[in-house]
C-alpha cells in the first residue's frame, strides 16, 4: 500500500471505526466490503459514486436523492481474484474470449493504485469529485500478455450527477512492438423490472448474436425489449444510447467516445441460476448496456495512447406514443455534444 494510500485510509478508518461523522469532502479514500480500499466521490448536490481499487471497479452511482442507479448482485464476491458481479467491470485487454486470456481480460481482477499527479487531460476538468487510478502490468501479467502498458482511469461526478469514466491506455513497449486489444465498460444498470425496459438507439444496426455462435444479424425492431436471454454485440453504434424504464419514468443516457460498439445483455432465468454470484431472480432488476470496442481491435504503436470515454446520465423519461422524445430526454443531459469525442 503506498504511503499516501496508507495515511489516507488510516485517517478514514479511525473516523469510520469510531462512527464519528467524517467531514468527507468530494473525494474520500476508505475501506469498503471485506476491507477492500475504495474511493467515495460526493457531489455538492448529493449525488455520489464509489470505485474500488480492486478492478478500478465502480460499484455505486447514486443520484441526488441517494437512489442507487447501478446494479450489484446481493451475491457479489468482493474478494480477489473474482470480479465483482455488477457495477462497471472494466474489460481489458480483451472483451469476452476475443483473445486467449481469461474472459473479459485481467484488468478487473487486479488492484489498481491512486495516481495523485497524472499527465494532464487535453481539456482540464472543472469537476472536484474525481479520482485518477492507474494499472501497470506485473511480471505475472507480462507472462500472459507480453506487453507493457499504462492504463489510467479517471472516475468523475459531473455537476448534474452524471458519472464519467475516461480510460487512457498507452503502449509503453520498449521493444518497439505494437499491441492490439478489445475493451468494454461492462455497465450493469439498476431497473424496476426487465419487462419495463426498452433500449433505443440501436435500431437497424448489425449485431453479433452471442447466443447463435456470434452469427451476424440486423436489428429489425424499433427498440430492444426483453422476453428471454439476450446477449448481442451491436456494431458501429451511435454515440448516444437510451435505456428507458417505464415503471420508474427514468431514462439512462449512455454517451460514449472512442467506443464504436455496444453490448446488450440480460442473462434471464436459466443463466442467472447458473451464476453462483448472482441471485436466481436478479435478472429481473438489471440490464447491461456496455460501451465497447470489439469488432475492430484497437492497435497502438509504442508511445501511442487511446482514450475511451463513457458518460452516464439518468434523466426523467419523456415518452410519447412509443417513441423516445430525444429532444426532451437528451436536453437534460449535461454533456455538450463536442465533449464526447
Ligand atoms: O457482456 C455480456 C457477456 O459477455 C455475457 O456473455 C456474459 O458472459 C457476461 O458478459 C458476464 O461475463 P462474466 O465474465 O462477468 O461472468
Amino acid at each position: 500500500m503506498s504511503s499516501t494510500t496508507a495515511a489516507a485510509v488510516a485517517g478514514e478508518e479511525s473516523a469510520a471505526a469510531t462512527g464519528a461523522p467524517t467531514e468527507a469532502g468530494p473525494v474520500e479514500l476508505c475501506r469498503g466490503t471485506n476491507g477492500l480500499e475504495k474511493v467515495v466521490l460526493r457531489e455538492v448536490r448529493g449525488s455520489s459514486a464509489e470505485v474500488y481499487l480492486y478492478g478500478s471497479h465502480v460499484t455505486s452511482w447514486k443520484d441526488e436523492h441517494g437512489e442507487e442507479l447501478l446494479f450489484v448482485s446481493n451475491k457479489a464476491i468482493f474478494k480477489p481474484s473474482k470480479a465483482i458481479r455488477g457495477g462497471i467491470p472494466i474489460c481489458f485487454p480483451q472483451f469476452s474470449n476475443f483473445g486467449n486470456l481469461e474472459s473479459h481480460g485481467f484488468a478487473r481482477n487486479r488492484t489498481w493504485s491512486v495516481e495523485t499527479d497524472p499527465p494532464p487531460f487535453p481539456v482540464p476538468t472543472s469537476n472536484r469529485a474525481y479520482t485518477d487510478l492507474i494499472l501497470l502490468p506485473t511480471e505475472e501479467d507480462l507472462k500472459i500478455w507480453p506487453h507493457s502498458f499504462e492504463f489510467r482511469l479517471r472516475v468523475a461526478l459531473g455537476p448534474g450527477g452524471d458519472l464519467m469514466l475516461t480510460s487512457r491506455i498507452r503502449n509503453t513497449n520498449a521493444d518497439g512492438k505494437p499491441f492490439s486489444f478489445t475493451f468494454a465498460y461492462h455497465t450493469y444498470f439498476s431497473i424496476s423490472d426487465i419487462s419495463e425496459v426498452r433500449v433505443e438507439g440501436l435500431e437497424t444496426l448489425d449485431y453479433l448474436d452471442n447466443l447463435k455462435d456470434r452469427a451476424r444479424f440486423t436489428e429489425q425492431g424499433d427498440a430492444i425489449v426483453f422476453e428471454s436471454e439476450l446477449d448481442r454485440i451491436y456494431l458501429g453504434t451511435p454515440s448516444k444510447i437510451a435505456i428507458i424504464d417505464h415503471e420508474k419514468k427514468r431514462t439512462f443516457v449512455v454517451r460514449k467516445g472512442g467506443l464504436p460498439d455496444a453490448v446488450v445483455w440480460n442473462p434471464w432465468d436459466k443463466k442467472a441460476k447458473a451464476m453462483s454470484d448472482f441471485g436466481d431472480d436478479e435478472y429481473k432488476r438489471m440490464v447491461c448496456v456496455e460501451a465497447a470496442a470489439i469488432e475492430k481491435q484497437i492497435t497502438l504503436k509504442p508511445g501511442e495512447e487511446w482514450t475511451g470515454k463513457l458518460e452516464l446520465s439518468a434523466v426523467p423519461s419523456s415518452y410519447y406514443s412509443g417513441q423516445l422524445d430525444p429532444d426532451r430526454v437528451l436536453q437534460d443531459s449535461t454533456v455538450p455534444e463536442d465533449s464526447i469525442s
Side-chain angles (χ1 to χ4, degrees):
M1 185 186 294
S2 70
S3 54
T4 318
T5 309
V9 172
E12 293 311 330
E13 266 185 326
S14 56
T18 60
T22 52
E23 289 303 310
V27 185
E28 178 195 2
L29 184 60
C30 55
R31 295 267 182 206
T33 307
N34 294 340
L36 293 176
E37 288 180 274
K38 67 178 179 180
V39 176
V40 180
L41 303 175
R42 293 182 180 89
E43 240 299 317
V44 287
R45 297 182 200 166
S47 60
S48 67
E50 295 189 356
V51 51
Y52 277 80
L53 298 198
Y54 177 57
S56 199
H57 199 131
V58 175
T59 54
S60 176
W61 167 42
K62 293 180 178 175
D63 66 14
E64 66 275 16
H65 308 298
E67 183 171 355
E68 181 58 68
L69 302 171
L70 295 179
F71 166 88
V72 174
S73 171
N74 293 328
K75 299 173 77 174
I77 296 163
F78 284 73
K79 188 169 181 292
S81 59
K82 176 75 179 161
I84 298 167
R85 175 68 62 192
I88 308 178
I90 301 289
C91 302
F92 172 83
Q94 78 176 30
F95 174 81
S96 187
N97 55 3
F98 278 74
N100 58 1
L101 301 173
E102 60 201 278
S103 178
H104 293 332
F106 53 77
R108 64 178 186 168
N109 306 99
R110 298 290 183 274
T111 298
W112 296 47
S113 304
V114 175
E115 187 176 37
T116 49
D117 185 21
F121 275 69
V123 178
T125 178
S126 57
N127 296 322
R128 294 176 60 240
Y130 69 90
T131 187
D132 289 306
L133 303 174
I134 185 167
L135 177 70
L136 303 174
T138 62
E139 287 308 313
E140 286 309 303
D141 296 337
L142 290 167
K143 288 178 190 155
I144 57 171
W145 199 63
H147 300 295
S148 295
F149 63 86
E150 292 170 353
F151 184 164
R152 290 180 165 86
L153 176 68
R154 172 168 288 185
V155 182
L157 272 177
D162 294 347
L163 177 64
M164 293 168 276
L165 276 68
T166 307
S167 289
R168 294 188 286 175
I169 297 172
R170 178 181 297 277
N171 178 338
T172 53
N173 274 338
D175 59 7
K177 286 188 184 156
F179 63 60
S180 300
F181 61 94
T182 51
F183 181 97
Y185 290 112
H186 195 299
T187 310
Y188 288 71
F189 291 96
S190 175
I191 55 170
S192 59
D193 187 281
I194 193 64
S195 62
E196 294 285 341
V197 164
R198 53 193 287 136
V199 176
E200 300 210 355
L202 301 175
E203 299 78 16
T204 74
L205 296 178
D206 281 4
Y207 64 87
L208 307 179
D209 192 333
N210 259 335
L211 305 180
K212 296 177 179 148
D213 294 330
R214 287 192 183 139
R216 193 176 181 120
F217 297 88
T218 301
E219 179 56 58
Q220 304 299 329
D222 67 353
I224 300 168
V225 293
F226 300 83
E227 291 149 353
S228 60
E229 181 182 0
L230 188 146
D231 190 348
R232 297 175 182 172
I233 302 167
Y234 285 84
L235 309 174
T237 61
S239 64
K240 287 190 285 285
I241 301 169
I243 303 144
I244 302 161
D245 185 335
H246 290 286
E247 174 67 27
K248 285 192 179 279
K249 295 199 176 1
R250 172 172 68 205
T251 295
F252 290 112
V253 180
V254 175
R255 306 188 61 159
K256 54 192 178 67
L259 295 157
D261 306 322
V263 183
V264 180
W265 178 55
N266 186 282
W268 219 254
D269 55 353
K270 195 159 161 262
K271 179 117 349 135
K273 287 188 175 69
M275 292 190 283
S276 59
D277 60 343
F278 191 85
D280 291 357
D281 280 347
E282 287 188 322
Y283 72 94
K284 296 175 181 171
R285 296 192 294 110
M286 52 68 68
V287 66
C288 284
V289 176
E290 308 158 34
I294 301 171
E295 185 187 30
K296 296 183 183 68
Q297 285 192 324
I298 295 158
T299 298
L300 298 176
K301 298 189 188 80
E304 286 186 328
E305 180 175 82
W306 169 82
T307 300
K309 293 183 182 178
L310 177 69
E311 157 87 21
L312 303 180
S313 4
V315 296
S317 275
S318 67
Y319 185 78
Y320 176 72
S321 71
Q323 289 303 319
L324 177 71
D325 175 359
D327 295 338
R328 174 73 188 281
V329 168
L330 295 184
Q331 78 192 6
D332 296 332
S333 176
T334 57
V335 182
E337 189 60 43
D338 58 359
S339 73
I340 296 273
S341 60

